[in-house]
Amino acid sequence: MISTLYIEKEVLEEKRVLDIRQRFDHLETIECEHYGEIFNRKAQNFRLQKQNPALILAKKHKGFVLPAPESYGIGGDKNYYFSHMMNCIYDCRYCFLQGMYRSANYVVFVNFQSFADEIRKISEQHVDESVYFFSGYDCDSLALEPVTKFIDFILPVFEKLPNAFLELRTKSTQIRGLLDRPALDNCIVAFSLSPDNIVKSLEAKTASLEKRIDALQKLQSKGWLIGLRFDPLIYFDNYKEEYTNLFEKVFAALDVDRIHSVSLGGFRMPEKFFKNMVKLYPEEKLFASTLEEDGGMISYEKNLEQAMLEYCENELLKHMPKEKYFPCF
Amino acid sequence: MLNIVCALHCEAKPIIDFYKLSALSDCVFPIYSNEQINLVVTGIGKVDTAAAMAYLFTKTLEQKNSAWLNYGIAGHKNAMLGDWFNVNKITESSTAINWYPSRFQNIDCLTASLKTVDNPVSLYEPEKLYDMEASSFMSTALKFSGIELIQLMKVVSDNEESHLVEINKKHVQKLLLKNLDPLISMIAVLQQHKKDFDEIYAVDDFYMNLLEKWHFTQYQKKEVERLIQRWKAICNKDDTDGLEKCQDAKQVIAWYKMQLNEAQVMF
């Protein structure tokens, strides 16, 4: 899975780095000055790199926690996001990361304490409000947990912050660490879900829909709050039937009372990222559909998008109360 | 195409012979070619390397995104003379800029970082190779190609126990001929990577045929190229009857758009 290890000189001797290095002692290890020398350089091909990605261990110096985009929210007063990792081990064709980053290599920022300090500081600034922190924005929150152990580190931090909520966003079944510890009331484990044909066609290397539902069930049975993220909705000829089946299957397997939130969103992408993605995957069906640009964003043609969102919203609300529903459009 | 860059003729000779490369006539920098490989002999140092690579690129009418390989002799503190290394990091000593060539999984060869110096050195840092061209090769190759198609191989010609006072052509050739396998393997791997790259990104035959048949403006060329890609992704590729009846580029574009509007998207 990981082909090479790059390590910034500054963190070479850090305990966390030494632990990760031990795990990958069979890999070629190369010292670098700054992760950007590898990650940000021009003339890289994301698609080719994705075949043999490297892991870069680095230190983040600023911007640990950032305000979340406007449409991001699942009921909190304030919304922030943070990324202890850049890039994802999965290969979802609709993912904006492949259009945003030049490199498909994974960067893990090993100074976890700096993230924790910033989260604590922001939570204390809004002590009378609920502050949500989203962790799965630039990576999958759980997929590389066996290597990074970030969740293991950050959950005790949230345990002591009553007004702070953590959303873990994932398509992974790496939930052992969560199942082995008491559930936190302020942590939501949110799974991205798509119909089976979309998982198979567009979400390469991810856990199957069945396995994700199984993971959700296990988490619920251990008391964890869960979230369901039907985002992005993908158009195809019989989407109505497939999304109806998906909602029925998911809600039949879960206790609605222990679902924290459900969200729905259409396929949308900044135009610049979309152009990069088309260059990388010119033959991709998803990008061959009828899409249009509006205000610098690419999405399905307006009437189609509206029809899809309305249909799926109506279907969803047959299974759950409206208070838990948070549209992302 | 694979473009090979080396500083000295004595370094180039074993590869010229192995691949039966023929010399191009009237060249400022010596160039040797066959159908798959171009090799340029640059001379020593960064300026000559960059100049020779640019010369090769224009002289042979090379396209962007060819594969590029630099090989040649290098110094090392304690490696054995004749040891081959695949370079994983290049540092230009005069600027402290670093480059990191892509790592290939199927290469059975030692790896090391390398420092490009402006003058020969006799004191070596441990575990590092020394040469006088690699940084220039890397920065120039990146103008013509992506990092996934660029590699460097070095064979140790001198170490702390055996300094290279002056380059002995016979000695260099002997070092290379002693074990050419790592270099030949790298050439094969790079050629395969280039082939894989072309399978994804080569210009579409269908598109080229259209350009031959009808006149397209530059804008229309871009438009129809993308329409063909989309059409191939979601339409029935056997159904081209209507296309044959088109009179001009406008009608071709309209035909593709109509096909796409009627297409069913299935996953």
Side-chain angles (χ1 to χ4, degrees):
Chain A
M1 187 182 77
I2 289 166
S3 65
T4 310
L5 206 54
Y6 291 96
I7 306 176
E8 279 185 357
K9 214 181 242 176
E10 193 181 347
V11 299
L12 265 175
E13 298 305 323
E14 300 232 345
K15 165 87 170 66
R16 191 162 287 120
V17 170
L18 296 174
D19 289 346
I20 294 174
R21 205 170 164 173
Q22 198 169 22
R23 186 185 174 100
F24 294 110
D25 60 358
H26 59 290
L27 292 184
E28 184 180 5
T29 301
I30 303 163
E31 194 180 300
C32 64
E33 307 301 317
H34 184 268
Y35 77 90
E37 292 177 329
I38 301 143
F39 195 76
N40 295 335
R41 201 176 279 283
K42 287 180 188 170
Q44 304 194 67
N45 183 299
F46 192 100
R47 180 173 179 168
L48 297 182
Q49 270 187 19
K50 196 80 189 167
Q51 294 169 8
N52 280 306
L55 173 61
I56 306 170
L57 303 179
K59 181 175 178 179
K60 195 172 175 76
H61 294 275
K62 58 180 181 181
F64 298 101
V65 180
L66 298 166
E70 282 288 308
S71 59
Y72 238 66
I74 46 172
D77 298 317
K78 301 280 178 203
N79 296 303
Y80 292 87
Y81 76 97
F82 63 92
S83 303
H84 70 287
M85 181 174 169
M86 297 201 293
N87 263 328
C88 179
I89 65 168
Y90 302 137
D91 195 9
C92 299
R93 195 55 60 241
Y94 51 71
C95 180
F96 72 102
L97 296 177
Q98 62 197 333
M100 184 168 76
Y101 294 142
R102 287 175 175 157
S103 169
N105 293 326
Y106 315 136
V107 180
V108 172
F109 296 113
V110 295
N111 49 326
F112 294 173
Q113 191 57 49
S114 305
F115 289 92
D117 293 344
E118 190 71 11
I119 287 166
R120 193 174 294 116
K121 198 173 114 193
I122 290 172
S123 302
E124 285 165 3
Q125 281 168 358
H126 305 284
V127 75
D128 295 326
E129 295 174 291
S130 58
V131 189
Y132 276 68
F133 296 90
F134 296 88
S135 82
Y137 195 71
D138 294 325
C139 65
D140 184 288
S141 300
L142 296 179
L144 212 62
E145 182 60 11
V147 175
T148 66
K149 303 202 173 16
F150 178 76
I151 304 306
D152 210 28
F153 168 87
I154 206 74
L155 287 181
V157 174
F158 275 86
E159 208 166 5
K160 292 176 193 147
L161 298 172
N163 66 321
F165 289 78
L166 170 66
E167 189 209 66
L168 305 173
R169 176 82 65 103
T170 191
K171 294 187 183 105
S172 162
T173 52
Q174 298 284 357
I175 54 168
R176 187 180 298 269
L178 296 173
L179 299 179
D180 286 348
R181 54 171 297 142
L184 281 189
D185 287 340
N186 58 343
C187 175
I188 302 112
V189 189
F191 274 70
S192 301
L193 300 166
S194 298
D196 216 23
N197 60 326
I198 296 301
V199 173
K200 284 174 183 151
S201 307
L202 298 178
E203 298 180 355
K205 302 178 190 172
T206 62
S208 68
L209 176 62
E210 296 296 334
K211 284 186 176 166
R212 285 183 226 175
I213 293 172
D214 183 55
L216 280 163
Q217 282 180 313
K218 283 180 180 152
L219 286 163
Q220 266 202 335
S221 71
K222 286 280 185 178
W224 288 92
L225 286 171
I226 58 162
L228 308 178
R229 309 288 175 250
F230 301 102
D231 184 3
L233 293 181
I234 301 293
Y235 173 76
F236 49 96
D237 251 40
N238 55 335
Y239 80 89
K240 288 184 179 174
E241 192 186 330
E242 293 293 336
Y243 276 98
T244 299
N245 290 342
L246 172 69
F247 301 146
E248 278 173 6
K249 195 186 249 184
V250 170
F251 285 98
L254 300 172
D255 174 1
V256 177
D257 292 339
R258 290 293 298 165
I259 294 176
H260 172 275
S261 51
V262 178
S263 57
L264 193 71
F267 173 73
R268 63 232 179 263
M269 184 72 55
E271 188 182 15
K272 189 181 162 199
F273 297 173
F274 183 77
K275 282 183 174 168
N276 292 339
M277 289 155 68
V278 168
K279 269 187 206 160
L280 287 170
Y281 298 93
E283 78 288 9
E284 173 54 50
K285 267 187 200 177
L286 175 66
F287 308 148
S289 307
T290 308
L291 298 161
E292 64 179 23
E293 186 269 331
D294 184 20
M297 293 295 280
I298 299 285
S299 57
Y300 289 117
E301 181 265 318
K302 277 286 159 287
N303 290 337
L304 174 63
E305 183 182 58
Q306 200 55 40
M308 285 173 69
L309 290 168
E310 269 178 26
Y311 178 82
C312 289
E313 188 173 83
N314 287 335
E315 288 298 304
L316 254 185
L317 292 173
K318 289 178 186 171
H319 300 281
M320 53 166 289
K322 206 166 184 179
E323 307 85 75
K324 294 187 177 191
Y325 173 60
F326 299 93
C328 297
F329 49 88
Chain B
M1 186 61 90
L2 168 64
N3 295 310
I4 299 178
V5 177
C6 55
L8 305 168
H9 190 271
C10 56
E11 291 170 327
K13 184 77 168 51
I15 288 299
I16 292 169
D17 293 345
F18 188 88
Y19 289 100
K20 300 183 174 54
L21 306 181
S22 310
L24 263 58
S25 55
D26 298 328
C27 287
V28 177
F29 292 92
I31 295 175
Y32 301 83
S33 289
N34 67 16
E35 281 184 2
Q36 283 92 38
I37 293 173
N38 293 319
L39 182 150
V40 64
V41 180
T42 64
I44 291 171
K46 294 189 292 192
V47 173
D48 280 357
T49 300
M53 289 171 71
Y55 180 76
L56 174 72
F57 188 79
T58 49
K59 180 82 179 171
T60 57
L61 304 175
E62 262 300 291
Q63 302 283 325
K64 277 189 91 171
N65 292 316
S66 289
W68 289 82
L69 170 68
N70 170 232
Y71 77 87
I73 55 172
H76 192 283
K77 187 180 175 79
N78 48 10
M80 302 270 286
L81 301 187
D83 275 356
W84 278 99
F85 286 87
N86 178 217
V87 178
N88 58 24
K89 175 180 178 179
I90 301 139
T91 305
E92 188 171 67
S93 67
S94 60
T95 61
I97 295 173
N98 299 312
W99 290 266
Y100 300 84
S102 291
R103 311 313 303 137
F104 292 165
Q105 296 310 294
N106 40 358
I107 295 291
D108 184 20
C109 182
L110 298 168
T111 60
S113 63
L114 177 149
K115 200 173 231 184
T116 297
V117 291
D118 291 336
N119 297 298
V121 294
S122 52
L123 286 173
Y124 309 95
E125 287 173 42
E127 311 302 327
K128 261 196 175 67
L129 295 158
Y130 286 80
D131 89 337
M132 294 173 70
E133 292 87 24
S135 66
S136 174
F137 165 79
M138 199 68 196
S139 63
T140 310
L142 282 168
K143 305 268 184 224
F144 302 138
S145 194
I147 196 146
E148 295 80 16
L149 295 172
I150 302 170
Q151 285 291 306
L152 299 94
M153 294 286 287
K154 296 289 168 181
V155 65
V156 175
S157 59
D158 49 295
N159 55 28
E160 271 191 344
E161 284 176 8
S162 174
H163 287 296
L164 198 65
V165 182
E166 62 181 50
I167 292 165
N168 177 321
K169 289 177 189 174
K170 279 189 182 162
H171 171 67
V172 171
Q173 274 197 43
K174 209 171 141 189
L175 273 178
L176 283 156
L177 286 169
K178 195 172 122 192
N179 181 15
L180 212 52
D181 290 351
L183 188 56
I184 304 296
S185 300
M186 175 55 85
I187 287 171
V189 169
L190 261 177
Q191 285 177 321
Q192 185 57 49
H193 275 250
K194 171 60 180 157
K195 204 174 146 201
D196 295 345
F197 182 92
D198 284 345
E199 271 173 26
I200 304 170
Y201 297 114
V203 180
D204 195 293
D205 286 345
F206 217 90
Y207 169 66
M208 294 310 289
N209 290 340
L210 287 191
L211 296 195
E212 276 176 23
K213 207 164 175 182
W214 291 285
H215 172 73
F216 290 83
T217 64
Q218 285 305 317
Y219 181 82
Q220 286 173 327
K221 279 183 190 174
K222 283 256 177 215
E223 190 179 10
V224 81
E225 186 180 19
R226 181 64 194 136
L227 285 169
I228 292 171
Q229 288 168 347
R230 290 177 58 202
W231 175 77
K232 282 193 160 183
I234 58 174
C235 296
N236 176 7
K237 292 185 278 290
D238 298 326
D239 182 12
T240 56
D241 290 351
L243 189 60
E244 304 300 325
K245 293 172 193 150
C246 291
Q247 303 287 314
D248 56 26
K250 262 189 185 172
Q251 286 187 12
V252 171
I253 287 168
W255 183 83
Y256 275 113
K257 283 183 176 172
M258 192 183 69
Q259 294 281 308
L260 284 162
N261 277 337
E262 289 170 1
Q264 292 189 322
V265 182
M266 308 286 277
F267 286 104

